Amino acid sequence: MVEIDPVQEEMKMVADVKDEIWIKHCDEVMEEENKVKGFSKLWPYQRPLIILPVAIICSILSGICHLSVGITFSKMMPILAIPMEHVKKVYPEYVDETAKEILQQRTMIWVGLMVSIAVILGIATLIGRISYATLGTNCTLSIRQLLYKSILEKNMGWFDFAEHGVSVVTSAMASDTQLVNGTATESLSPQLEGFAALGGAITIAFYFCWQMATVCLILAPFMTIGKTLAMKT
């Protein structure tokens, strides 16, 4: 019979206990992480944190600017639609100017406003993109560092599995962590712009005619469902 070394047997038992404790700890950590969903899970990795409010403000400002463009066009197009012979009747306060000069003066007011909106939109978009790019890069770098640290702490036997090979681990560090940018930054900007534009549009609609705005809000879900069903058929 082969004699079993008591020391080796004890070391094996200690190793098994440590493995069970480690597995239990990992399960508890995963359970806690699963309770936190989406963007909030990445909050600790957003560095520097002061850039995040700046990026959010720029996204909201961009959404408001897009809404303002539509309002400005709605004010400017009726001016361009006035026949030349009726310009003096529509704007009787202009006495010495010709019809062409009146249209130019009235149009330039809204053109100047459009240029101002475009400048504000360009600056907000530029600052927002730089801020989101910085946050995404820092977040990806932090996650890669954590992944690399976690890999270095693994037991040597962990690398014997095919799914833990060098190519798989390298691919995870190079490409999989890059997907965090889509969750951390790229998806946040259009969502904020859309909510800002939608909120501003609803506010303006209720300001001008709350009855029609209420009817439109009630019918909007039915229109969305109908459009979805029409696309599937």
Side-chain angles (χ1 to χ4, degrees), residues 7 18 64 76 81 109 111 137 148 161 167-168 172 174 189 216 225:
V7 177
K18 288 184 177 179
I64 295 174
M76 185 171 61
I109 296 175
V111 170
T137 302
Y148 187 69
F161 295 94
S167 59
V168 178
S189 177
C216 291
I225 295 173

Side-chain angles (χ1 to χ4, degrees), residues 4-210:
I4 300 176
D5 190 354
V7 177
Q8 292 183 354
E9 184 68 19
E10 184 178 356
M11 291 177 62
K12 185 175 181 300
M13 292 176 61
V14 172
D16 292 340
V17 172
K18 288 184 177 179
D19 288 340
E20 291 179 2
I21 295 175
W22 176 251
I23 293 174
K24 184 178 180 181
H25 172 69
C26 291
D27 292 339
E28 292 176 354
V29 172
M30 290 298 296
E31 185 178 354
E32 291 294 329
E33 289 182 352
N34 289 332
K35 294 179 181 179
V36 183
K37 300 293 184 180
F39 184 75
S40 57
K41 186 183 294 186
L42 301 173
W43 272 104
Y45 308 110
Q46 305 294 332
R47 295 290 183 273
L49 193 59
I50 193 173
I51 297 181
L52 186 58
V54 176
I56 292 175
I57 292 173
C58 289
S59 297
I60 295 175
L61 187 60
S62 298
I64 295 174
C65 287
H66 286 298
L67 177 64
S68 302
V69 170
I71 297 174
T72 306
F73 262 117
S74 66
K75 296 293 185 181
M76 185 171 61
M77 293 305 295
I79 299 176
L80 300 177
I82 301 174
M84 296 294 291
E85 57 271 15
H86 298 304
V87 172
K88 300 286 286 184
K89 298 178 181 179
V90 177
Y91 301 105
E93 63 272 16
Y94 294 92
V95 179
D96 300 328
E97 292 84 353
T98 61
K100 183 178 181 180
E101 292 175 346
I102 295 174
L103 286 179
Q104 287 179 346
Q105 293 182 17
R106 300 294 301 182
T107 305
M108 287 302 297
I109 296 175
W110 298 106
V111 170
L113 183 59
M114 287 284 290
V115 173
S116 302
I117 294 173
V119 172
I120 296 173
L121 177 61
I123 295 174
T125 303
L126 177 63
I127 296 175
R129 289 187 179 274
I130 294 174
S131 301
Y132 284 121
T134 303
L135 290 172
T137 302
N138 294 340
C139 182
T140 304
L141 178 61
S142 300
I143 293 177
R144 283 177 177 170
Q145 290 175 346
L146 289 175
L147 179 60
Y148 187 69
K149 181 181 178 182
S150 176
I151 292 173
L152 293 179
E153 294 175 352
K154 297 295 184 183
N155 187 281
M156 293 183 62
W158 185 82
F159 297 94
D160 294 336
F161 295 94
E163 60 269 19
H164 300 156
V166 177
S167 59
V168 178
V169 174
T170 305
S171 176
M173 294 184 63
S175 59
D176 292 354
T177 54
Q178 191 68 26
L179 298 176
V180 177
N181 276 334
T183 305
T185 57
E186 295 177 2
S187 62
L188 182 62
S189 177
Q191 290 178 9
L192 291 175
E193 291 181 9
F195 279 120
L198 181 62
I202 293 175
T203 303
I204 294 173
F206 272 96
Y207 174 77
F208 283 102
C209 183
W210 66 269

